[in-house]
């Protein structure tokens, strides 16, 4: 019981630090607040490619022995592709910096969550 409580407190503190650091990144790099709550692709190719990756992931998850590493791989590939597309086609907005930061945070939480518990 105390292990789960300690882990829960660790996750909450980790996310608070992550949110504060994200706000600092936005201020330091002068990244504008995103419009809306959902991500908008920079072009149709990115939108269709990300949808195809999601469908391929959901179908392939049934055929793998270790879905944990498959999930980590999916996040790594998906967010890397998104950051590349933002860097390539929308560099002046600097959103790719936040995408790379989000990728780091998601992967860190997934690795800690799946391999320490």
């Amino acid at each position: 019981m105390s292990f789960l409580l300690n882990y829960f407190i660790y996750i909450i503190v980790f996310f608070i630090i992550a949110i504060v650091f994200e706000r600092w990144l936005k201020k330091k790099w002068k990244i504008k607040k995103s419009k809306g709550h959902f991500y908008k692709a920079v072009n149709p190719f990115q939108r269709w490619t990300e949808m195809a990756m999601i469908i391929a992931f959901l179908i392939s998850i049934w055929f793998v022995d270790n879905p944990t590493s498959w999930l980590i791989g999916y996040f790594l590939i998906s967010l890397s592709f998104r950051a590349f597309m933002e860097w390539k086609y929308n560099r002046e907005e600097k959103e790719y910096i936040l995408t790379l930061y989000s990728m780091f945070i998601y992967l860190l939480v997934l690795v800690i969550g799946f391999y320490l518990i």
Side-chain angles (χ1 to χ4, degrees):
M1 179 68 179
S2 80
F3 173 74
L4 288 176
L5 182 62
N6 288 340
Y7 185 71
F8 184 69
I9 291 171
Y10 170 75
I11 291 295
I12 289 174
V13 169
F14 181 78
F15 276 118
I16 290 171
I17 292 171
I19 290 169
V20 168
F21 190 69
E22 181 178 350
R23 288 184 181 174
W24 177 80
L25 277 176
K26 285 182 178 182
K27 189 175 183 180
K28 181 181 186 317
W29 291 96
K30 297 178 179 91
I31 300 172
K32 295 177 186 172
K33 195 173 188 178
S34 60
K35 299 172 185 125
H37 296 289
F38 297 106
Y39 178 76
K40 294 191 176 156
V42 293
N43 60 23
F45 174 73
Q46 179 189 1
R47 184 177 335 123
W48 287 104
T49 305
E50 285 189 6
M51 286 192 321
M53 286 192 304
I54 290 170
I55 291 168
F57 170 74
L58 291 174
I59 291 171
S60 66
I61 198 77
W62 299 103
F63 302 108
V64 294
D65 293 333
N66 189 359
T68 304
S69 60
W70 200 250
L71 180 66
I72 292 171
Y74 167 74
F75 272 117
L76 181 65
I77 292 168
S78 175
L79 290 174
S80 297
F81 175 73
R82 181 176 284 186
F84 174 74
M85 294 299 283
E86 289 171 347
W87 173 78
K88 179 86 171 157
Y89 294 106
N90 203 5
R91 197 174 297 182
E92 64 276 351
E93 295 291 324
K94 299 178 188 169
E95 282 286 325
Y96 63 92
I97 296 169
L98 294 178
T99 302
L100 290 172
Y101 173 71
S102 298
M103 180 177 67
F104 172 74
I105 294 298
Y106 292 152
L107 290 176
L108 191 62
V109 167
L110 283 173
V111 168
I112 289 171
F114 286 129
Y115 289 111
L116 289 183
I117 291 183

